[in-house]
Amino acid sequence: MLETETGTMPEQGLSAAEAERRLRDLGPAEPHTSRSTSSIVAGNVFTLFNAIIGVFFILILSLGLFADAIFGLIAVVNSWIGIRQEMKAKETLDRLAVLVAPRAGVIREGTEVELLAEEVVPGDLVRLVPGDQIVADGRVVSSRGLTVDESMLTGESDGVSKTEGDDVFSGGFVLSGSGYCEVTAVRDDSYAGRIAGEARAFRHDPSPLQHEVNRVIVACTWVLVPLAVLQIGSLIVRRVDLVEAAQTATAGLITLIPEGLVLLMSVTFAVAAVKLARRDTLVQQMSATESLASVDTICIDKTGTLTDGNLSLVGIEPAYVTDTKLAGRELGAFASNAGEQNRTLEAIAEEFPGSAERVVDEIVFSSEWKWSGLTFDREEAPRTLVLGAPDVMIESGSLVLPETMAARLESETALGHRVIALARTDQALPAGPEEGPPAGLEPVALVVLSENLRPGVAEALELMRSENVDLKLISGDAKATVVSVATAVGIPEDAGVVVGTDLPDDPDRLAEIVRGNTIFCRIKPEQKKQLVAALSEAGCYTAMIGDGVNDVPALKSSDMAVAMGSGSQVSKSVADVVLLKDEFSRLPEAVAEGRRIARNIHRLGRLYLTKTVYAAALILLVSVPGFAFPFLPRHLTLAALLTIGIPSFVLALAPSDGPLYRGRLLRALGAFALPAGLATALASILSFFLVDGVSGGTLEDGRTAATTTLIVLGLSFVLLLERGPGRDHIAIQSYMLAMVSGLGALFAGILAVTPLREFFGMSMLSADQWFITMLSAALGLVAASLMWRLQFIQDWEATDEEDVPPLER
């Protein structure tokens, strides 16, 4: 036996002397440096928009318009805030990422030590067990049914059997069996390191919200380009002075760009990731928190996910009353000598310790075939023991249980216990597990094991169901066991149950079955993957929650992968979200956080799209015809600060009662923004025209009136962002009223202080001019209200699906 930090482990084909010999040949360990692998990448669209802002910023500075250059400074400040927030989030997440970073069991000086991947050096002897990520290239020196998943390197989904002398590569995962490998290359010198260029080019698919916001930005871009051509062409045709042309073009075109929307998305994702990290939920993909808001179907593994994964032995049922000692002896022999020490064998070995025997043949356990076998070098027969799922061995015709054992099997599975059978035979094991267990097995004993539900599971699942999230329980266990656990967690007794052998090969039929049923038992890993893929192809946004290596194919096929912190390395490495302390109750909190993000981004989208609409209307109605433009860039900068910039950061982080627009964001935002933007543009032009032309005011007076109208309407629409068709019942929250009142007071203070008023190029209006200004703002609100009642606007807002209510924290 080799000593470990936590006890002892079986030899598994490599003696302590051999391990010591290899370790003596290693020499001193190489120095290493721990490096973080997480990164946060800014969006290309955000970079493009800031580049556009920078060009205008430089142009205005070159013309000496320092006051108008404020808007460029604000863009820079916004960018700095966003980058700083993301860097703080990255630091927090990097510290947590160490908890789920790949580790390796390395034999040094005869003792197994657990090291981070960066600490492994060439010549190290690494132990490989199911669920381990292979952290370095190496050559197998000992194998007991070792099977490796190299799909991330080769694209082939089938496991690859590894024997002594075979190479293993970093990036692979151990599926079954066990063994040791001697490290030959690490980090940049490894196979995965040599193809790192391609690996770094890989990017996660954008989340649903990112897809929809991209559509909004593309729509804004299509509006910006022709309007820019029209405005610049109009300025050239009219031979406008360069300084005035720069002011007019900047004032009109910059307002079209929703430059803060992508920035605030990034900031909101980062803040949400940090909030969840403080609740022991690690977000490995920044947009994953928002993606959870789109989840409408959750697929859950049973063992290790709903249950805590710890098995305790309830009892055994020997084939005959007099065979109790025989059953204990054979169970101890099997558990002590099996190459793969899973939780089931650990529970048996704790109750029935055994001595080491020479094993001449072995088939390791896998969720694919659900049994394992050992052939011992014994003089007396029988020499072969088989341990596995009794129903699988019975269905194959290899095993027949006496009536007493069959009755015990039925009663224990009905109680939700896991039951496995130990049998023996004189025959040798088959050449491969696909041939099934050997025929003519003699039953030795049934082993009854129990596992505990995780705290808060039933409550969390009930909360998810109440929020219209469909649940699918998928397990490899027997039907009676799975149904019993399903009942314990609150799944209705009349829920549809399907056994893996009854699943069809036809994709359409499979999709129909998976949509219409809830419980799936005796499911193989590949079938689990097919079920999840069928749900996604049927239009469901599917989350898969698992912990073991057998869950990995399904996790990789899901739209959102969630792993348990105590799960296998491979499951955590492919997950978007990891529940670090295995607290299932954290999942509804994560979904609630995702929905809050989505609602807030939708709310911000209304605000920014309104700005784009009124800017486009101003260009078409004022700039292109050649009328005096009612704003200077500094006016729009001030208006944007008070009605967009400051409110945006509050709205991005505050709770929202608005709807979730799934798959129809652009249309739904347009239902609010088109009336609001047009009304703002028309009211601003009206106040400018009446003050500048009718009341005999100066150009500066007209622009002051237009700016005031714009700010008054902008702040009014901030209060109305939550409201809309069918949402008139939503009350305006007190913090919104306080914020808008404060911003209105700030603008009044700017007008009242002469140096600030002159800096922004505004004047103090007369009483009649104030009346015209406020009347124009009131008419704008009336116009927006009337347009919101138009049928086609109502149709844009309407949806066939009921809006999803917020999850309660």
Side-chain angles (χ1 to χ4, degrees):
M1 307 288 279
L2 295 177
E3 295 182 357
T4 68
E5 292 180 333
T6 58
T8 61
M9 67 178 182
E11 293 176 323
Q12 300 193 17
L14 188 69
S15 67
E18 290 173 319
E20 290 285 1
R21 178 182 58 79
R22 293 185 183 278
L23 288 164
R24 284 195 298 269
D25 294 338
L26 293 181
E30 296 179 359
H32 67 274
T33 303
S34 177
R35 297 179 296 175
S36 171
T37 58
S38 64
S39 63
I40 302 174
V41 184
N44 292 332
V45 178
F46 177 55
T47 304
L48 173 63
F49 283 167
N50 276 309
I52 295 173
I53 293 172
V55 170
F56 280 107
F57 186 34
I58 293 171
L59 174 62
I60 291 173
L61 281 175
S62 67
L63 295 173
L65 306 176
F66 294 104
D68 295 332
I70 293 175
F71 80 93
L73 179 60
I74 290 176
V76 172
V77 171
N78 281 347
S79 299
W80 179 84
I81 292 172
I83 292 170
R84 177 59 184 161
Q85 187 65 55
E86 289 199 0
M87 292 304 297
K88 289 179 66 177
K90 179 182 183 296
E91 292 170 4
T92 301
L93 297 179
D94 280 351
R95 288 194 296 269
L96 282 178
V98 175
L99 299 177
V100 296
R103 287 171 164 78
V106 178
I107 309 300
R108 287 184 176 175
E109 298 180 358
T111 300
E112 181 179 333
V113 293
E114 188 179 77
L115 302 178
L116 290 171
E118 289 83 357
E119 299 173 316
V120 176
V121 297
D124 271 341
L125 199 62
V126 177
R127 184 189 181 207
L128 303 174
V129 295
D132 278 359
Q133 178 177 342
I134 299 174
V135 300
D137 291 358
R139 183 165 291 107
V140 177
V141 297
S142 175
S143 170
R144 294 190 65 175
L146 183 64
T147 304
V148 176
D149 179 350
E150 296 180 340
S151 59
M152 292 186 180
L153 303 174
T154 65
E156 297 293 333
S157 59
D158 293 336
V160 180
S161 178
K162 298 291 184 178
T163 58
E164 187 172 342
D166 288 344
D167 292 325
V168 291
F169 302 102
S170 56
F173 298 95
V174 180
L175 288 175
S176 60
S178 60
Y180 290 86
C181 73
E182 185 174 355
V183 176
T184 57
V186 297
R187 293 180 283 283
D188 293 341
D189 294 330
S190 67
Y191 177 79
R194 293 196 298 271
I195 60 173
E198 296 181 21
R200 292 189 185 103
F202 170 77
R203 299 184 66 176
H204 287 267
D205 290 335
S207 70
L209 181 59
Q210 288 175 316
H211 272 301
E212 295 196 88
V213 170
N214 283 343
R215 294 192 194 104
V216 172
I217 293 174
V218 168
C220 293
T221 303
W222 281 108
V223 171
L224 183 147
V225 172
L227 285 178
V229 172
L230 278 174
Q231 186 169 38
I232 294 173
S234 172
L235 293 171
I236 293 174
V237 169
R238 291 187 282 111
R239 300 180 183 277
V240 178
D241 176 72
L242 179 59
V243 173
E244 182 181 352
Q247 288 179 324
T248 303
T250 301
L253 296 179
I254 284 299
T255 312
L256 285 169
I257 302 172
E259 74 283 351
L261 185 57
V262 178
L263 165 68
L264 287 169
M265 275 186 65
S266 182
V267 170
T268 304
F269 287 167
V271 170
V274 172
K275 286 178 66 176
L276 291 175
R278 290 169 181 163
R279 298 173 183 173
D280 302 312
T281 302
L282 176 61
V283 177
Q284 301 196 117
Q285 175 65 17
M286 194 61 72
S287 62
T289 47
E290 177 275 319
S291 295
L292 281 166
S294 300
V295 170
D296 52 33
T297 305
I298 294 181
C299 299
I300 311 171
D301 174 54
K302 181 183 74 69
T303 304
T305 304
L306 291 182
T307 62
D308 59 16
N310 295 320
L311 295 175
S312 57
L313 195 144
V314 175
I316 65 170
E317 177 73 22
Y320 303 99
V321 177
T322 56
D323 286 349
T324 303
K325 292 184 178 180
L326 169 65
R329 185 171 63 252
E330 295 289 49
L331 284 169
F334 195 103
S336 299
N337 291 279
E340 176 187 328
Q341 291 296 299
N342 54 36
R343 290 169 177 169
T344 298
L345 293 180
E346 288 172 356
I348 294 173
E350 184 177 351
E351 186 70 22
F352 301 104
S355 58
E357 296 186 47
R358 185 169 180 269
V359 175
V360 295
D361 195 9
E362 179 177 13
I363 290 180
V364 298
F365 177 83
S366 170
S367 298
E368 187 69 24
W369 46 85
K370 302 188 186 303
W371 64 275
S372 58
L374 295 177
T375 297
F376 295 98
D377 184 17
R378 294 175 175 174
E379 294 182 359
E380 75 282 357
R383 296 178 296 117
T384 298
L385 295 179
V386 175
L387 184 71
D391 54 325
V392 171
M393 291 190 280
I394 292 171
E395 289 174 5
S396 69
S398 300
L399 178 66
V400 177
L401 294 179
E403 290 185 5
T404 54
M405 295 184 76
R408 179 73 183 272
L409 172 62
E410 183 178 353
S411 63
E412 294 294 346
T413 53
L415 293 173
H417 292 153
R418 176 182 294 184
V419 182
I420 57 175
L422 178 69
R424 60 182 183 176
T425 180
D426 293 336
Q427 299 183 30
L429 290 171
E434 64 279 355
E435 298 181 19
L441 291 174
E442 175 192 354
V444 176
L446 294 179
V447 182
V448 182
L449 302 162
S450 68
E451 46 190 343
N452 300 318
L453 290 176
R454 293 190 185 279
V457 166
E459 293 79 2
L461 294 183
E462 176 58 32
L463 180 57
M464 302 298 288
R465 284 194 298 271
S466 69
E467 300 300 339
N468 301 318
V469 177
D470 195 15
L471 300 176
K472 308 292 181 184
L473 177 55
I474 306 175
S475 175
D477 279 347
K479 177 179 177 179
T481 301
V482 180
V483 170
S484 176
V485 172
T487 303
V489 298
I491 294 178
E493 294 183 4
D494 59 351
V497 182
V498 179
V499 180
T501 53
D502 297 332
L503 291 177
D505 294 328
D506 178 61
D508 294 334
R509 178 62 181 150
L510 180 64
E512 181 181 344
I513 288 177
V514 72
R515 290 293 298 271
N517 294 277
T518 301
I519 303 171
F520 301 85
C521 44
R522 281 299 181 223
I523 300 298
K524 298 178 180 179
E526 189 62 27
Q527 289 178 315
K528 193 177 293 188
K529 172 185 175 182
Q530 292 168 356
L531 291 173
V532 172
L535 285 168
S536 296
E537 291 170 4
C540 301
Y541 198 83
T542 307
M544 174 67 198
I545 308 174
D547 72 315
V549 65
N550 61 314
D551 298 319
V552 170
L555 288 169
K556 292 165 69 175
S557 296
S558 65
D559 299 298
M560 168 65 53
V562 181
M564 310 304 284
S566 62
S568 64
Q569 291 182 14
V570 57
S571 65
K572 290 183 286 189
S573 70
V574 302
D576 300 294
V577 175
V578 180
L579 305 178
L580 293 175
K581 292 190 176 179
D582 298 339
E583 295 179 1
F584 203 85
S585 59
R586 296 300 186 189
L587 185 61
E589 294 179 0
V591 173
E593 189 67 28
R595 289 185 175 179
R596 185 191 63 78
I597 290 172
R599 286 187 172 91
N600 287 352
I601 297 300
H602 294 170
R603 185 166 58 178
L604 290 172
R606 295 189 201 106
L607 196 61
Y608 280 96
L609 200 59
T610 297
K611 182 178 73 129
T612 298
V613 170
Y614 84 69
L618 286 174
I619 291 173
L620 287 174
L621 298 176
V622 178
S623 293
V624 174
F627 300 124
F629 199 75
F631 304 104
L632 293 175
R634 70 194 76 175
H635 297 148
L636 293 176
T637 297
L638 177 61
L641 176 65
L642 297 178
T643 65
I644 304 290
I646 295 175
S648 290
F649 278 95
V650 175
L651 296 172
L653 303 176
S656 171
D657 296 325
L660 283 174
Y661 299 120
R662 290 175 175 169
R664 57 188 185 95
L665 182 61
L666 181 58
R667 187 185 68 187
L669 297 186
F672 179 92
L674 186 61
L678 288 176
T680 302
L682 292 173
S684 299
I685 293 171
L686 178 63
S687 63
F688 175 77
F689 172 74
L690 292 176
V691 171
D692 180 43
V694 176
S695 71
T698 63
L699 178 61
E700 189 174 76
D701 292 338
R703 284 175 168 167
T704 302
T707 302
T708 302
T709 302
L710 172 60
I711 291 175
V712 169
L713 282 174
L715 292 176
S716 299
F717 289 133
V718 167
L719 288 176
L720 298 174
L721 285 174
E722 298 280 16
R723 300 168 70 87
R727 300 196 307 279
D728 295 333
H729 63 283
I730 296 179
I732 297 174
Q733 299 182 28
S734 57
Y735 77 87
M736 295 280 284
L737 285 171
M739 178 186 68
V740 168
S741 299
L743 293 173
L746 178 60
F747 177 64
I750 291 173
L751 287 177
V753 178
T754 302
L756 291 177
R757 184 174 67 245
E758 292 177 351
F759 176 80
F760 284 103
M762 294 187 291
S763 62
M764 182 60 73
L765 300 177
S766 63
D768 59 332
Q769 290 172 339
W770 274 115
F771 175 77
I772 292 171
T773 301
M774 293 298 104
L775 177 63
S776 299
L779 291 175
L781 285 173
V782 172
S785 179
L786 292 175
M787 283 187 280
W788 279 329
R789 285 170 169 76
L790 295 174
Q791 186 58 49
F792 77 94
I793 295 293
Q794 299 270 349
D795 292 341
W796 284 359
E797 175 75 19
T799 177
D800 295 332
E801 298 179 2
E802 184 179 350
D803 290 331
V804 179
L807 279 168
E808 295 296 333
R809 295 299 185 100

